[in-house]
Coordinates of all heavy atoms in Angstrom, one line a residue:
K18 N 17.8 -3.0 11.7 CA 17.1 -4.3 11.5 C 16.2 -4.5 12.7 O 16.6 -4.2 13.8 CB 18.0 -5.4 11.3 CG 17.4 -6.7 10.8 CD 18.5 -7.7 10.5 CE 17.8 -9.0 10.0 NZ 18.7 -10.0 9.6
Y19 N 15.0 -5.0 12.5 CA 14.0 -5.2 13.5 C 13.5 -4.0 14.3 O 13.1 -4.1 15.4 CB 14.5 -6.3 14.5 CG 14.9 -7.6 13.8 CD1 16.2 -8.1 13.9 CD2 14.0 -8.3 13.0 CE1 16.5 -9.2 13.2 CE2 14.3 -9.5 12.4 CZ 15.6 -9.9 12.5 OH 16.0 -11.1 11.8
T20 N 13.6 -2.9 13.6 CA 13.0 -1.7 14.1 C 11.5 -1.6 13.6 O 11.1 -2.3 12.8 CB 13.8 -0.4 13.7 OG1 13.8 -0.4 12.3 CG2 15.2 -0.5 14.3
L21 N 10.8 -0.6 14.1 CA 9.4 -0.4 13.7 C 9.3 -0.3 12.2 O 8.4 -1.0 11.5 CB 8.8 0.8 14.3 CG 7.4 1.1 13.9 CD1 6.4 0.0 14.3 CD2 6.9 2.5 14.5
D22 N 10.1 0.5 11.5 CA 10.0 0.7 10.1 C 10.3 -0.6 9.3 O 9.8 -0.9 8.3 CB 10.9 1.8 9.6 CG 12.4 1.6 9.9 OD1 12.7 1.1 11.0 OD2 13.2 2.0 9.1
W23 N 11.2 -1.4 9.9 CA 11.5 -2.7 9.3 C 10.3 -3.6 9.2 O 10.0 -4.2 8.2 CB 12.6 -3.4 10.0 CG 13.2 -4.7 9.4 CD1 14.1 -4.8 8.5 CD2 12.7 -6.0 9.7 NE1 14.3 -6.1 8.2 CE2 13.5 -6.9 8.9 CE3 11.7 -6.5 10.5 CZ2 13.3 -8.2 8.9 CZ3 11.6 -7.9 10.5 CH2 12.3 -8.7 9.7
Y24 N 9.6 -3.7 10.3 CA 8.3 -4.5 10.4 C 7.2 -3.9 9.4 O 6.6 -4.7 8.7 CB 7.8 -4.6 11.8 CG 8.6 -5.5 12.7 CD1 9.5 -4.9 13.6 CD2 8.6 -6.9 12.5 CE1 10.3 -5.7 14.4 CE2 9.4 -7.7 13.4 CZ 10.2 -7.1 14.3 OH 11.0 -7.9 15.1
V25 N 7.1 -2.6 9.5 CA 6.0 -2.0 8.7 C 6.3 -2.2 7.2 O 5.4 -2.5 6.4 CB 5.9 -0.5 9.1 CG1 4.9 0.2 8.1 CG2 5.4 -0.3 10.5
K26 N 7.5 -2.0 6.8 CA 7.8 -2.2 5.3 C 7.6 -3.6 4.9 O 7.1 -3.8 3.7 CB 9.2 -1.7 5.0 CG 10.3 -2.7 5.3 CD 11.6 -2.2 4.8 CE 12.7 -3.2 5.2 NZ 14.0 -2.8 4.7
W27 N 7.8 -4.6 5.7 CA 7.6 -6.0 5.3 C 6.1 -6.3 5.3 O 5.6 -7.0 4.4 CB 8.4 -6.9 6.2 CG 9.8 -7.0 5.7 CD1 10.9 -6.4 6.3 CD2 10.3 -7.6 4.5 NE1 12.0 -6.7 5.6 CE2 11.7 -7.4 4.5 CE3 9.7 -8.3 3.5 CZ2 12.5 -7.8 3.4 CZ3 10.5 -8.8 2.4 CH2 11.9 -8.5 2.4
V28 N 5.4 -5.8 6.2 CA 3.9 -6.0 6.2 C 3.3 -5.3 5.0 O 2.4 -5.9 4.3 CB 3.3 -5.5 7.6 CG1 1.8 -5.5 7.5 CG2 3.8 -6.4 8.7
A29 N 3.7 -4.1 4.8 CA 3.3 -3.3 3.6 C 3.6 -4.1 2.3 O 2.7 -4.2 1.4 CB 3.9 -1.9 3.6
S30 N 4.7 -4.6 2.2 CA 5.1 -5.3 1.0 C 4.2 -6.6 0.8 O 3.8 -6.9 -0.3 CB 6.6 -5.7 1.0 OG 7.4 -4.6 1.0
V31 N 3.9 -7.3 1.9 CA 3.0 -8.4 1.8 C 1.7 -8.0 1.3 O 1.1 -8.7 0.4 CB 3.0 -9.2 3.1 CG1 1.9 -10.2 3.1 CG2 4.3 -9.8 3.4
F32 N 1.1 -6.9 1.8 CA -0.2 -6.4 1.4 C -0.2 -6.1 -0.1 O -1.1 -6.5 -0.8 CB -0.6 -5.2 2.2 CG -1.4 -5.5 3.4 CD1 -0.8 -5.6 4.7 CD2 -2.8 -5.7 3.4 CE1 -1.5 -5.9 5.8 CE2 -3.5 -6.0 4.5 CZ -2.8 -6.1 5.7
V33 N 0.9 -5.4 -0.6 CA 0.9 -5.0 -2.0 C 1.1 -6.3 -2.9 O 0.4 -6.4 -3.9 CB 2.1 -4.1 -2.2 CG1 2.3 -3.8 -3.7 CG2 1.9 -2.8 -1.5
L34 N 1.8 -7.3 -2.5 CA 2.0 -8.5 -3.2 C 0.7 -9.3 -3.3 O 0.3 -9.8 -4.4 CB 3.1 -9.4 -2.7 CG 4.5 -8.9 -2.9 CD1 5.5 -9.7 -2.1 CD2 4.8 -8.9 -4.4
I35 N 0.0 -9.4 -2.2 CA -1.3 -10.1 -2.2 C -2.3 -9.3 -3.1 O -3.1 -9.9 -3.9 CB -1.9 -10.2 -0.8 CG1 -1.0 -11.2 0.0 CG2 -3.3 -10.7 -0.8 CD1 -1.3 -11.2 1.5
A36 N -2.3 -8.0 -3.0 CA -3.2 -7.2 -3.9 C -2.9 -7.4 -5.3 O -3.8 -7.6 -6.1 CB -3.0 -5.7 -3.5
M37 N -1.6 -7.5 -5.7 CA -1.2 -7.7 -7.1 C -1.7 -9.1 -7.5 O -1.9 -9.3 -8.7 CB 0.3 -7.6 -7.3 CG 0.7 -6.1 -7.2 SD 2.4 -5.8 -7.8 CE 3.3 -6.8 -6.7
S38 N -1.8 -10.1 -6.6 CA -2.2 -11.4 -7.0 C -3.7 -11.4 -7.4 O -4.2 -12.2 -8.2 CB -2.0 -12.4 -5.9 OG -2.9 -12.2 -4.8
F39 N -4.5 -10.4 -6.9 CA -5.9 -10.3 -7.3 C -6.1 -9.4 -8.6 O -7.1 -9.4 -9.2 CB -6.7 -9.6 -6.2 CG -7.0 -10.5 -5.0 CD1 -6.3 -10.3 -3.8 CD2 -7.9 -11.5 -5.1 CE1 -6.6 -11.1 -2.7 CE2 -8.1 -12.4 -4.1 CZ -7.5 -12.2 -2.9
R40 N -5.0 -8.7 -8.9 CA -5.1 -7.7 -10.1 C -5.5 -8.5 -11.4 O -4.8 -9.4 -11.7 CB -3.8 -7.0 -10.2 CG -4.0 -5.7 -11.1 CD -3.0 -4.7 -10.7 NE -3.2 -4.2 -9.3 CZ -2.2 -3.8 -8.5 NH1 -1.0 -3.7 -9.0 NH2 -2.5 -3.4 -7.3
G41 N -6.5 -8.0 -12.1 CA -6.8 -8.6 -13.3 C -7.8 -9.8 -13.2 O -8.1 -10.3 -14.3
V42 N -8.1 -10.2 -12.0 CA -9.1 -11.3 -11.9 C -10.5 -10.7 -11.7 O -10.7 -9.9 -10.8 CB -8.7 -12.1 -10.6 CG1 -9.7 -13.3 -10.5 CG2 -7.3 -12.7 -10.7
A43 N -11.3 -11.1 -12.7 CA -12.7 -10.5 -12.7 C -13.4 -10.9 -11.4 O -13.3 -12.0 -10.9 CB -13.4 -11.1 -13.9
G44 N -14.1 -9.9 -10.8 CA -14.8 -10.0 -9.6 C -14.1 -9.8 -8.3 O -14.7 -9.8 -7.3
Y45 N -12.8 -9.6 -8.4 CA -12.0 -9.4 -7.2 C -11.3 -8.0 -7.2 O -10.4 -7.8 -6.4 CB -10.9 -10.5 -7.1 CG -11.4 -11.9 -6.8 CD1 -11.6 -12.8 -7.8 CD2 -11.7 -12.2 -5.5 CE1 -12.1 -14.0 -7.5 CE2 -12.2 -13.4 -5.2 CZ -12.4 -14.4 -6.2 OH -12.9 -15.6 -5.9
E46 N -11.8 -7.1 -8.0 CA -11.2 -5.8 -8.1 C -11.2 -5.1 -6.7 O -10.3 -4.4 -6.4 CB -12.0 -4.9 -9.1 CG -11.8 -5.4 -10.5 CD -12.9 -6.5 -10.9 OE1 -13.7 -6.8 -10.1 OE2 -12.8 -6.9 -12.1
I47 N -12.3 -5.2 -6.0 CA -12.4 -4.5 -4.7 C -11.3 -5.0 -3.7 O -10.7 -4.2 -2.9 CB -13.8 -4.6 -4.0 CG1 -13.9 -3.7 -2.9 CG2 -14.1 -6.0 -3.6 CD1 -13.9 -2.2 -3.3
Y48 N -11.0 -6.3 -3.8 CA -9.9 -6.8 -2.9 C -8.5 -6.2 -3.3 O -7.7 -5.9 -2.4 CB -9.8 -8.4 -3.0 CG -11.1 -9.0 -2.5 CD1 -12.0 -9.7 -3.3 CD2 -11.4 -9.0 -1.1 CE1 -13.1 -10.3 -2.9 CE2 -12.5 -9.6 -0.6 CZ -13.4 -10.2 -1.5 OH -14.5 -10.8 -1.0
D49 N -8.3 -6.1 -4.6 CA -7.1 -5.5 -5.1 C -7.0 -4.1 -4.6 O -6.0 -3.6 -4.0 CB -7.0 -5.5 -6.6 CG -5.9 -4.7 -7.2 OD1 -4.9 -4.6 -6.5 OD2 -6.0 -4.3 -8.3
L50 N -8.1 -3.3 -4.7 CA -8.1 -1.9 -4.3 C -7.9 -1.8 -2.8 O -7.0 -1.0 -2.3 CB -9.4 -1.2 -4.7 CG -9.5 -0.9 -6.2 CD1 -11.0 -0.5 -6.5 CD2 -8.6 0.2 -6.5
M51 N -8.6 -2.5 -2.0 CA -8.5 -2.4 -0.5 C -7.1 -2.8 0.0 O -6.5 -2.1 0.8 CB -9.6 -3.2 0.2 CG -11.0 -2.7 -0.1 SD -11.2 -1.0 0.5 CE -11.6 -0.2 -1.0
L52 N -6.6 -4.0 -0.5 CA -5.3 -4.4 -0.1 C -4.2 -3.5 -0.5 O -3.2 -3.2 0.2 CB -5.0 -5.8 -0.6 CG -5.9 -6.9 0.1 CD1 -5.8 -8.2 -0.7 CD2 -5.5 -7.1 1.5
S53 N -4.4 -2.9 -1.7 CA -3.4 -1.9 -2.2 C -3.4 -0.7 -1.4 O -2.3 -0.1 -1.1 CB -3.7 -1.6 -3.7 OG -3.4 -2.7 -4.5
I54 N -4.6 -0.2 -1.0 CA -4.7 1.0 -0.1 C -3.9 0.8 1.2 O -3.2 1.6 1.6 CB -6.1 1.4 0.1 CG1 -6.7 2.0 -1.2 CG2 -6.3 2.3 1.3 CD1 -8.2 2.2 -1.2
V55 N -4.2 -0.4 1.8 CA -3.5 -0.7 3.1 C -2.0 -0.7 2.9 O -1.2 -0.1 3.6 CB -4.0 -2.0 3.7 CG1 -3.1 -2.4 4.9 CG2 -5.4 -1.9 4.1
G56 N -1.5 -1.4 1.8 CA -0.1 -1.6 1.6 C 0.6 -0.3 1.3 O 1.6 0.1 1.8
I57 N -0.1 0.5 0.4 CA 0.5 1.8 0.0 C 0.5 2.8 1.2 O 1.4 3.6 1.4 CB -0.2 2.4 -1.2 CG1 0.1 1.5 -2.4 CG2 0.3 3.8 -1.5 CD1 1.5 1.3 -2.8
A58 N -0.6 2.8 2.0 CA -0.6 3.6 3.2 C 0.5 3.3 4.2 O 1.1 4.2 4.7 CB -2.0 3.5 3.9
L59 N 0.8 2.0 4.3 CA 1.9 1.6 5.2 C 3.2 2.0 4.6 O 4.1 2.4 5.4 CB 1.8 0.1 5.5 CG 0.7 -0.4 6.3 CD1 0.6 -2.0 6.3 CD2 0.7 0.1 7.7
W60 N 3.4 1.9 3.3 CA 4.6 2.3 2.7 C 4.7 3.9 2.8 O 5.9 4.4 3.0 CB 4.7 1.9 1.2 CG 5.5 0.7 1.1 CD1 5.0 -0.5 0.7 CD2 6.9 0.5 1.3 NE1 6.1 -1.4 0.7 CE2 7.2 -0.8 1.0 CE3 7.9 1.4 1.7 CZ2 8.5 -1.3 1.1 CZ3 9.2 0.9 1.8 CH2 9.5 -0.4 1.5
L61 N 3.6 4.6 2.8 CA 3.7 6.0 3.0 C 4.2 6.3 4.4 O 5.0 7.2 4.6 CB 2.3 6.6 2.8 CG 2.2 8.2 3.0 CD1 3.2 8.9 2.0 CD2 0.8 8.6 2.8
W62 N 3.7 5.6 5.4 CA 4.2 5.7 6.8 C 5.7 5.5 6.8 O 6.4 6.3 7.5 CB 3.4 4.8 7.7 CG 3.7 4.8 9.1 CD1 4.4 5.8 9.8 CD2 3.5 3.8 10.1 NE1 4.5 5.5 11.1 CE2 3.9 4.3 11.3 CE3 2.9 2.6 10.1 CZ2 3.8 3.6 12.5 CZ3 2.7 1.9 11.2 CH2 3.2 2.4 12.4
V63 N 6.2 4.4 6.2 CA 7.6 4.1 6.2 C 8.4 5.3 5.5 O 9.4 5.7 6.0 CB 7.9 2.8 5.5 CG1 9.4 2.6 5.3 CG2 7.3 1.6 6.2
S64 N 7.8 5.8 4.4 CA 8.5 6.9 3.7 C 8.6 8.1 4.6 O 9.7 8.8 4.6 CB 7.6 7.3 2.5 OG 7.4 6.2 1.7
V65 N 7.6 8.4 5.4 CA 7.7 9.5 6.4 C 8.7 9.2 7.5 O 9.5 10.1 7.8 CB 6.3 9.8 7.0 CG1 6.4 10.8 8.1 CG2 5.3 10.3 5.9
I66 N 8.7 8.0 8.0 CA 9.7 7.7 9.0 C 11.1 7.9 8.4 O 12.0 8.4 9.1 CB 9.6 6.2 9.5 CG1 8.3 6.1 10.3 CG2 10.7 5.7 10.3 CD1 7.9 4.6 10.6
W67 N 11.3 7.5 7.2 CA 12.6 7.6 6.5 C 12.9 9.0 6.1 O 14.0 9.3 5.6 CB 12.7 6.6 5.3 CG 12.9 5.2 5.7 CD1 13.0 4.6 6.9 CD2 12.8 4.1 4.8 NE1 13.1 3.3 6.8 CE2 12.9 2.9 5.5 CE3 12.6 4.0 3.4 CZ2 12.9 1.7 4.9 CZ3 12.6 2.8 2.8 CH2 12.7 1.6 3.5
N68 N 11.9 9.8 6.0 CA 12.0 11.2 5.5 C 12.5 11.2 4.1 O 13.4 12.0 3.7 CB 12.9 12.1 6.4 CG 12.7 13.5 6.2 OD1 11.7 14.0 5.8 ND2 13.8 14.3 6.4
D69 N 12.0 10.3 3.3 CA 12.3 10.2 1.9 C 11.3 10.8 1.0 O 10.2 10.3 0.8 CB 12.5 8.7 1.5 CG 13.0 8.5 0.1 OD1 12.7 9.2 -0.8 OD2 13.8 7.5 0.0
R70 N 11.5 12.0 0.5 CA 10.5 12.8 -0.2 C 10.1 12.2 -1.5 O 8.9 12.3 -1.8 CB 11.1 14.2 -0.4 CG 11.1 15.0 0.8 CD 11.6 16.4 0.6 NE 13.1 16.3 0.2 CZ 13.8 17.3 -0.1 NH1 13.4 18.6 0.0 NH2 15.1 17.2 -0.4
A71 N 10.9 11.5 -2.2 CA 10.5 10.8 -3.4 C 9.5 9.7 -3.1 O 8.5 9.6 -3.8 CB 11.7 10.2 -4.1
L72 N 9.8 8.9 -2.1 CA 8.8 7.9 -1.7 C 7.5 8.4 -1.1 O 6.5 7.9 -1.3 CB 9.5 6.9 -0.7 CG 10.5 6.0 -1.2 CD1 11.1 5.1 -0.1 CD2 10.0 5.1 -2.3
I73 N 7.6 9.5 -0.4 CA 6.4 10.2 0.1 C 5.6 10.7 -1.1 O 4.3 10.4 -1.1 CB 6.8 11.4 1.0 CG1 7.4 10.9 2.3 CG2 5.6 12.2 1.3 CD1 8.0 12.0 3.2
L74 N 6.2 11.3 -2.1 CA 5.4 11.7 -3.2 C 4.8 10.5 -4.0 O 3.6 10.5 -4.3 CB 6.3 12.5 -4.2 CG 5.7 12.9 -5.5 CD1 4.6 13.9 -5.2 CD2 6.7 13.5 -6.4
L75 N 5.6 9.5 -4.2 CA 5.1 8.3 -4.9 C 3.9 7.7 -4.2 O 2.9 7.4 -4.8 CB 6.2 7.3 -5.1 CG 5.8 6.0 -5.7 CD1 5.5 6.2 -7.2 CD2 7.0 5.0 -5.6
N76 N 4.1 7.4 -2.9 CA 3.1 6.7 -2.2 C 1.9 7.6 -1.8 O 0.8 7.1 -1.8 CB 3.7 6.0 -0.9 CG 4.6 4.9 -1.2 OD1 4.3 4.0 -1.9 ND2 5.9 5.1 -0.8
G77 N 2.1 8.8 -1.6 CA 1.0 9.8 -1.4 C 0.1 9.9 -2.6 O -1.1 9.8 -2.5
A78 N 0.7 10.1 -3.8 CA 0.0 10.1 -5.0 C -0.7 8.8 -5.3 O -1.9 8.7 -5.7 CB 0.9 10.5 -6.2
G79 N 0.0 7.7 -5.1 CA -0.6 6.4 -5.3 C -1.8 6.1 -4.3 O -2.8 5.6 -4.8
L80 N -1.7 6.6 -3.1 CA -2.8 6.4 -2.2 C -4.0 7.2 -2.6 O -5.2 6.7 -2.5 CB -2.4 6.8 -0.8 CG -3.3 6.6 0.4 CD1 -3.7 5.1 0.5 CD2 -2.8 7.1 1.7
L81 N -3.8 8.5 -3.1 CA -4.9 9.3 -3.5 C -5.6 8.6 -4.8 O -6.8 8.6 -4.8 CB -4.4 10.7 -3.9 CG -4.1 11.6 -2.7 CD1 -3.4 12.9 -3.2 CD2 -5.3 11.8 -1.8
L82 N -4.8 8.1 -5.7 CA -5.4 7.5 -6.9 C -6.2 6.2 -6.5 O -7.2 6.0 -7.1 CB -4.3 7.2 -7.9 CG -3.6 8.4 -8.5 CD1 -2.4 8.0 -9.3 CD2 -4.6 9.2 -9.4
L83 N -5.6 5.4 -5.6 CA -6.3 4.2 -5.2 C -7.6 4.5 -4.5 O -8.6 3.9 -4.7 CB -5.4 3.4 -4.3 CG -4.3 2.6 -5.0 CD1 -3.2 2.1 -4.0 CD2 -4.8 1.5 -5.9
A84 N -7.6 5.6 -3.6 CA -8.8 6.0 -2.9 C -9.8 6.4 -3.9 O -11.0 6.1 -3.8 CB -8.4 7.1 -1.9
R85 N -9.4 7.2 -4.9 CA -10.4 7.7 -5.9 C -11.0 6.5 -6.7 O -12.2 6.5 -6.9 CB -9.7 8.7 -6.9 CG -10.7 9.2 -7.9 CD -9.9 10.0 -9.0 NE -8.9 9.3 -9.7 CZ -9.2 8.5 -10.8 NH1 -10.4 8.4 -11.2 NH2 -8.2 7.9 -11.4
N86 N -10.1 5.6 -7.1 CA -10.6 4.4 -7.8 C -11.6 3.6 -6.9 O -12.6 3.0 -7.5 CB -9.5 3.6 -8.3 CG -8.7 4.2 -9.4 OD1 -9.2 5.2 -10.0 ND2 -7.6 3.7 -9.7
S87 N -11.3 3.4 -5.7 CA -12.2 2.6 -4.8 C -13.5 3.3 -4.6 O -14.5 2.6 -4.6 CB -11.5 2.3 -3.5 OG -11.3 3.5 -2.7
I88 N -13.5 4.6 -4.5 CA -14.8 5.4 -4.4 C -15.6 5.2 -5.6 O -16.8 5.0 -5.6 CB -14.5 6.9 -4.0 CG1 -14.0 7.0 -2.6 CG2 -15.8 7.7 -4.2 CD1 -13.4 8.3 -2.2
E89 N -14.9 5.3 -6.8 CA -15.6 5.1 -8.1 C -16.2 3.7 -8.2 O -17.3 3.5 -8.7 CB -14.7 5.4 -9.2 CG -14.6 6.9 -9.6 CD -13.8 7.1 -10.8 OE1 -13.6 6.1 -11.6 OE2 -13.3 8.2 -11.0
Y90 N -15.4 2.8 -7.7 CA -15.9 1.4 -7.8 C -17.1 1.1 -6.9 O -18.0 0.4 -7.3 CB -14.7 0.4 -7.4 CG -15.1 -1.0 -7.5 CD1 -15.0 -1.7 -8.8 CD2 -15.5 -1.8 -6.4 CE1 -15.3 -3.0 -8.9 CE2 -15.9 -3.1 -6.6 CZ -15.8 -3.7 -7.8 OH -16.1 -5.0 -7.9
I91 N -17.1 1.7 -5.7 CA -18.1 1.5 -4.8 C -19.4 2.2 -5.2 O -20.5 1.6 -5.1 CB -17.7 1.9 -3.3 CG1 -16.6 1.0 -2.8 CG2 -18.9 1.9 -2.4 CD1 -15.9 1.5 -1.6
F92 N -19.3 3.4 -5.7 CA -20.5 4.2 -6.1 C -20.6 4.1 -7.6 O -21.4 4.5 -8.2 CB -20.4 5.6 -5.6 CG -20.3 5.7 -4.1 CD1 -19.1 6.0 -3.4 CD2 -21.4 5.4 -3.3 CE1 -19.0 6.1 -2.0 CE2 -21.3 5.4 -1.9 CZ -20.1 5.8 -1.3

């Protein structure tokens, strides 16, 4: 408790929850994408700290998909 990974996972969770609050709201798609990218990237970091391969795979793939969607949205 109160180690680096503890703080990072809670900050990451807050980012993901805020992103989900924008999900489905017209005109706010970019906020959902950007906040999700930050949250999932932080969760990926936690996954690496924990050496949890399932979470690394999940968050790594999620980060790639979110990055692709944000690039498509911007261009």
Side-chain angles (χ1 to χ4, degrees):
K18 193 172 180 181
Y19 304 118
T20 57
L21 176 63
D22 61 322
W23 186 88
Y24 288 104
V25 174
K26 78 176 180 180
W27 281 105
V28 170
S30 295
V31 169
F32 270 96
V33 171
L34 286 171
I35 293 170
M37 288 191 302
S38 73
F39 286 110
R40 196 151 298 152
V42 180
Y45 290 98
E46 294 87 1
I47 193 67
Y48 296 109
D49 173 26
L50 285 168
M51 293 300 118
L52 291 167
S53 291
I54 286 172
V55 171
I57 296 301
L59 290 173
W60 263 112
L61 180 58
W62 182 18
V63 172
S64 304
V65 171
I66 292 171
W67 289 352
N68 197 27
D69 188 321
R70 289 180 291 184
L72 287 177
I73 292 169
L74 176 65
L75 174 69
N76 292 303
L80 186 59
L81 288 174
L82 293 170
L83 286 165
R85 182 188 59 85
N86 289 345
S87 64
I88 290 168
E89 279 186 16
Y90 183 83
I91 292 169
F92 300 107

